[in-house]
Amino acid sequence: MSATETIVRTATNVIATELTTETLLALAGREIGAIHVKGYYPVAIAAEVAQKAIDHPALGHYHKQYTSSVGRVYMPHIDTKWDPELTAKYHDAALPAIADVRSMFHPYLAPVDKVRLDLQELWPAGANLLRLRGRACFVGAFRVFQPSTSEFYPHNDAIDQETDAPEIEGVLNQLVANIYLQVPEEGGDLHLWLREPTAAETEIILDVEGLDPKSVEEPVHVIHPEAGDLIIFSPRMLHAVTPGQGTHRVGAAAFIASKGPAEPLVFWS
């Protein structure tokens, strides 16, 4: 293999319908493509908080060309952009932001907290909040897609493209948990390709955070989530979200890094 070639890693196209130790291990090991648990979170609570997210004073937008149409509540780690001042700002706000998101669901358990507890119990070595250079990370970001205009082009996410902090050494796979609070009846579909991008595709993604959909093959899975659903997959592989029609698409999300079953999972947004 030449220096310009890359191994494009894939997953099988099986989608599990239960969150268990077995399905988590299979997903982290790429023996399956996703976990989709219907009705994971109460729809009535989800709907109430979805509107709070849409109206939240901290609602901003991602910084890259092909993600700037999508809103997010509180800065995610990707928007630190390797900048020391932005990185310090992110960590300074992390714990207060977690507390604020949690308060929006009070007196009920926030959906990302539910995921964190479930994975802490189900993963063989438990699960913890990620700290980078000893500083706590934010987890529990809301993603807000405006009707008709917001979408994610085919892209991938990888923590080692955002930081060289020593805590990420040994990461074998990255997962993302999405809990859907509000979904339009039409559109807002999740596309999964179940393969990592090529080296050439990665270069484009790092520049503008997305590929022209016409430049890639048809996705392996097209999933239309419903409010209350949980979907976990590996965002290191290509994925996209189509525009929704008529209403906002709102979800709560957490990235999850795995160093293998003998090490705890870690969470961040």
Side-chain angles (χ1 to χ4, degrees), residues 21-22 27-28 32 44 47-48 53 63 76 115 127 141 145 151 164 212 246 252 264:
T21 298
E22 291 71 27
L27 182 63
I32 62 175
E48 181 178 342
H63 74 277
V115 170
F145 291 73
E151 64 182 308
D164 56 4
D212 182 341

Side-chain angles (χ1 to χ4, degrees), residues 12-77:
T12 68
N13 64 359
V14 174
I15 294 181
T17 59
E18 294 182 317
L19 181 59
T20 66
T21 298
E22 291 71 27
T23 58
L24 272 174
L25 289 169
L27 182 63
R30 298 192 175 178
E31 298 169 18
I32 62 175
I35 300 170
H36 183 182
V37 183
K38 290 185 174 292
Y40 181 80
Y41 194 79
V43 174
I45 303 169
E48 181 178 342
V49 178
Q51 190 59 50
K52 293 181 182 179
I54 293 167
D55 297 333
H56 201 286
L59 179 65
H61 292 83
Y62 289 92
H63 74 277
K64 290 190 177 180
Q65 179 180 339
Y66 285 166
T67 54
S68 61
S69 67
V70 179
R72 79 291 190 277
V73 177
Y74 292 115
M75 179 193 295
H77 189 270

Side-chain angles (χ1 to χ4, degrees), residues 2-257:
S2 72
T4 58
E5 292 176 330
T6 186
I7 298 173
V8 179
R9 288 174 289 182
T10 62
T12 68
N13 64 359
V14 174
I15 294 181
T17 59
E18 294 182 317
L19 181 59
T20 66
T21 298
E22 291 71 27
T23 58
L24 272 174
L25 289 169
L27 182 63
R30 298 192 175 178
E31 298 169 18
I32 62 175
I35 300 170
H36 183 182
V37 183
K38 290 185 174 292
Y40 181 80
Y41 194 79
V43 174
I45 303 169
E48 181 178 342
V49 178
Q51 190 59 50
K52 293 181 182 179
I54 293 167
D55 297 333
H56 201 286
L59 179 65
H61 292 83
Y62 289 92
H63 74 277
K64 290 190 177 180
Q65 179 180 339
Y66 285 166
T67 54
S68 61
S69 67
V70 179
R72 79 291 190 277
V73 177
Y74 292 115
M75 179 193 295
H77 189 270
I78 191 172
D79 279 356
T80 59
K81 300 185 286 188
W82 294 89
D83 181 282
E85 291 186 8
L86 289 175
T87 300
K89 180 180 178 182
Y90 167 83
H91 288 294
D92 288 345
L95 294 180
I98 290 172
D100 179 53
V101 170
R102 186 173 289 144
S103 74
M104 293 166 69
F105 292 91
H106 182 78
Y108 304 104
L109 183 68
V112 166
D113 284 346
K114 177 172 168 56
V115 170
R116 290 173 64 181
L117 287 170
D118 284 345
L119 268 59
Q120 184 184 63
E121 295 165 4
L122 294 172
W123 189 255
N128 301 312
L129 183 67
L130 176 63
R131 284 171 167 79
L132 296 175
R133 295 189 169 90
R135 301 205 64 191
C137 290
F138 169 53
V139 66
F142 295 110
R143 293 170 176 170
V144 179
F145 291 73
Q146 301 287 337
S148 304
T149 59
S150 295
E151 64 182 308
F152 274 154
Y153 283 65
H155 70 288
N156 75 327
D157 303 283
I159 187 63
D160 57 0
Q161 296 172 348
E162 302 173 21
T163 181
D164 56 4
E167 289 91 342
I168 70 165
E169 183 178 352
V171 169
L172 300 176
N173 200 359
Q174 182 170 323
L175 308 177
V176 64
N178 289 296
I179 307 96
Y180 298 88
L181 306 183
Q182 178 176 295
V183 183
E185 290 187 9
E186 180 182 351
D189 298 333
L190 174 64
H191 288 190
L192 299 177
W193 277 263
L194 303 186
R195 69 167 179 88
E196 291 190 7
T198 65
E201 289 171 333
T202 297
E203 187 175 346
I204 296 170
I205 292 168
L206 289 174
D207 182 30
V208 295
E209 194 63 16
L211 303 171
D212 182 341
K214 297 178 183 177
S215 72
V216 296
E217 71 278 12
E218 291 295 312
V220 177
H221 291 297
V222 176
I223 303 172
H224 183 78
E226 296 180 350
D229 285 4
L230 166 69
I231 299 179
I232 310 179
F233 61 93
S234 173
R236 287 182 179 262
M237 300 190 184
L238 287 176
H239 56 286
V241 177
T242 64
Q245 304 300 321
T247 189
H248 291 76
R249 181 189 193 269
V250 183
F255 285 121
I256 307 156

